[in-house]
Amino acid sequence: MTAGTQPQLDHAPPSIRGQAARLAVELVPPFVVALLILPYVIAHGKPWPWQPSTIDLQVYVYAVKDMLAGRDIFLTTTPFWHLYFIYPPIAAVLMTPLAFGPYVMWQLIWTAGLIWAQQSVLRRCGVPRGWKLGLIGIAVVLAVEPIRTTLGYGQVNTMLMAFVVADLLPDAPARNGSGGERRWIPQGVLAGLAAAIKLTPALFVVFMFLISKRRAAISAMISFVAFTAIGAIFLFSETVQFWTGLSGGDTRTASPLYAGNQSLLGVFYRLGDSSRTTALLGLGIAGIVALLGALVGAHWWRAGEKVFAVALVGLCTNLASPLSWTHHYVWILPMAVAVLRAGIPTWARWVGGFWVVWVCACLPLAVLPYAGGRERHFDALQQVVANLGPIVGVALVAGLAWQLVVTTRRGESLRVATAQ
């Protein structure tokens, strides 16, 4: 192609220039703010020279390098923090590029990916595009603790949420009038990938079946099996090791007792003990709550409140997981959008809104002593602070389920009376 025929940016179609400008407005401001605060989010970061303490990203990098060197990724530990890699082996395989290039480059790329994921979720939840989305993105980075600390740790949570949301909530309608974005990947594949990386999104497979998206649910299951099999091909012994032990939530460093664990199992450990009976009871009830959340979410999906439905199921994955650190609660972001709408009951908006504020404030880690077994000595007020978040979540799910039962019974009674 000659210089005379090479396309120039100034002569690009207005739509392309407009889209590029809109993306810049939506992504650059929150990305810049994230880079500025990153050194302050997690302890031991340095603003100059710029050196954030992205300790989970460091785990991924060390694990990938050990994998390429033929070492066991589950024996990988990082310097100073001594953290272990605890994800399914496919995660390490997919993260292989992290082994190449300077670490600071990956800190920048990873942060950009998390910002893209956050903004993608907001956009698909209906937040207006352009400068409004950019400003809201800044507020989210600063005020939503799970999003902020996921950025700080260099975690994957927001990306996995974005995968699931992309499968379930279409982007803005396509220009061709087809009523939605063009789908390049079969629906369900991204949710299956998210589940292969971090298990808990598997609840969305159940949800897909409940909302009659059977093809998407089957695609998600196939995707999950395929990605897990790829991990087994490259790391067979580690795959066996994961599925026979680590998949139960063993972090090798922290007990479910830890105040930062905002799952239902954590509540049972803190209010009870750490016995096997308590663990089984806690996990059993958590599983029931998760299934109930999927059923209730399916009802609200059919009622047209799709953002609320997806947010509720996502938060139920946090309640059900054996370990849900505060930064895992990124699903509070779509819930925050959902409770601002009038389509759900007023009481549910208030309860959901309180849950949003509570999670964003992260009081269990802001005001409580924690770690080292200190949770065993919490007084009554400290127990309230440590456990209120998950309890509010259960109350929301239970209340919605009860309302659904009452409404269904009234509908059946009305039909009987009409028939008579």
Side-chain angles (χ1 to χ4, degrees):
M1 181 177 290
T2 64
T5 60
Q6 185 174 356
Q8 301 294 320
L9 181 61
D10 291 341
H11 297 96
S15 60
I16 296 178
R17 292 203 306 270
Q19 289 176 17
R22 184 171 66 177
L23 281 174
V25 168
E26 293 171 353
L27 298 176
V28 172
F31 176 62
V32 171
V33 171
L35 294 182
L36 291 174
I37 70 168
L38 216 56
Y40 303 98
V41 178
I42 306 301
H44 307 292
K46 297 179 182 178
W48 189 261
W50 190 76
Q51 189 177 335
S53 188
T54 49
I55 58 179
D56 282 354
L57 179 59
Q58 186 184 49
V59 173
Y60 308 155
V61 170
Y62 272 75
V64 167
K65 290 182 176 179
D66 279 354
M67 176 186 69
L68 295 178
R71 292 189 285 269
D72 186 343
I73 57 173
F74 294 133
L75 296 180
T76 297
T77 56
T78 57
F80 185 71
W81 293 94
H82 304 295
L83 298 177
Y84 288 88
F85 185 86
I86 58 172
Y87 292 84
I90 183 58
V93 173
L94 294 173
M95 293 175 183
T96 297
L98 294 176
F100 307 98
Y103 183 56
V104 67
M105 177 189 76
W106 285 111
Q107 287 179 304
L108 293 170
I109 292 174
W110 203 265
T111 302
L114 290 170
I115 292 297
W116 167 84
Q118 161 197 314
Q119 298 300 84
S120 173
V121 170
L122 287 172
R123 187 178 72 241
R124 291 170 183 274
C125 288
V127 173
R129 299 203 61 173
W131 63 268
K132 291 182 180 179
L133 181 57
L135 290 178
I136 291 173
I138 292 174
V140 167
V141 168
L142 294 174
V144 181
E145 192 271 352
I147 298 292
R148 184 177 64 249
T149 50
T150 287
L151 284 162
Y153 285 119
Q155 256 277 357
V156 297
N157 308 310
T158 315
M159 295 182 192
L160 300 185
M161 174 173 65
F163 289 166
V164 175
V165 170
D167 255 351
L168 288 168
L169 300 178
D171 208 339
R175 292 179 180 273
N176 59 13
S178 63
E181 63 179 333
R182 180 179 298 176
R183 186 174 293 278
W184 298 100
I185 301 174
Q187 189 177 28
V189 169
L190 292 176
L193 171 59
I197 293 173
K198 210 167 184 179
L199 296 187
T200 52
L203 181 62
F204 281 96
V205 177
V206 177
F207 177 67
M208 288 176 183
F209 275 114
L210 291 172
I211 60 175
S212 299
K213 289 186 176 290
R214 293 177 177 83
R215 181 176 297 179
I218 293 170
S219 295
M221 294 167 66
I222 294 172
S223 172
F224 172 82
V225 171
F227 280 109
T228 301
I230 292 170
I233 290 171
F234 288 98
L235 299 168
F236 181 78
S237 63
E238 287 88 344
T239 299
V240 173
Q241 183 181 348
F242 178 84
W243 288 105
T244 56
L246 288 172
S247 59
D250 178 15
T251 67
R252 305 184 183 185
T253 55
S255 163
L257 177 68
Y258 176 53
N261 178 24
Q262 291 292 289
S263 72
L264 282 179
L265 181 60
V267 173
F268 274 81
Y269 268 53
R270 288 187 290 270
L271 294 179
D273 54 34
S274 302
S275 68
R276 180 176 176 81
T277 300
T278 298
L280 291 175
L281 180 63
L283 290 173
I285 291 178
I288 292 171
V289 170
L291 291 176
L292 200 59
L295 286 166
V296 171
H299 164 76
W300 287 103
W301 176 278
R302 290 188 291 269
E305 294 299 324
K306 296 184 177 181
V307 174
F308 180 63
V310 170
L312 188 67
V313 177
L315 286 166
C316 281
T317 68
N318 294 137
L319 294 174
S321 175
L323 298 171
S324 289
W325 308 138
T326 60
H327 57 272
H328 292 170
Y329 267 78
V330 292
W331 288 101
I332 209 68
L333 184 59
M335 179 60 76
V337 177
V339 296
L340 294 176
R341 301 181 177 185
I344 59 177
T346 300
W347 73 265
R349 294 177 66 193
W350 279 103
V351 175
F354 177 82
W355 198 13
V356 169
V357 173
W358 186 267
V359 170
C360 291
C362 194
L363 293 184
L365 296 184
V367 301
L368 294 179
Y370 54 83
R374 294 179 180 88
E375 293 85 351
R376 282 276 171 249
H377 307 289
F378 280 174
D379 59 28
L381 181 58
Q382 289 173 323
Q383 288 285 12
V384 169
V385 174
N387 302 311
L388 184 59
I391 290 173
V392 169
V394 172
L396 178 61
V397 172
L400 289 168
W402 177 252
Q403 185 176 46
L404 178 58
V405 169
V406 170
T407 302
T408 302
R409 285 180 176 175
R410 286 177 179 172
E412 290 176 351
S413 299
L414 181 61
R415 283 194 295 271
V416 171
T418 303
Q420 292 175 346

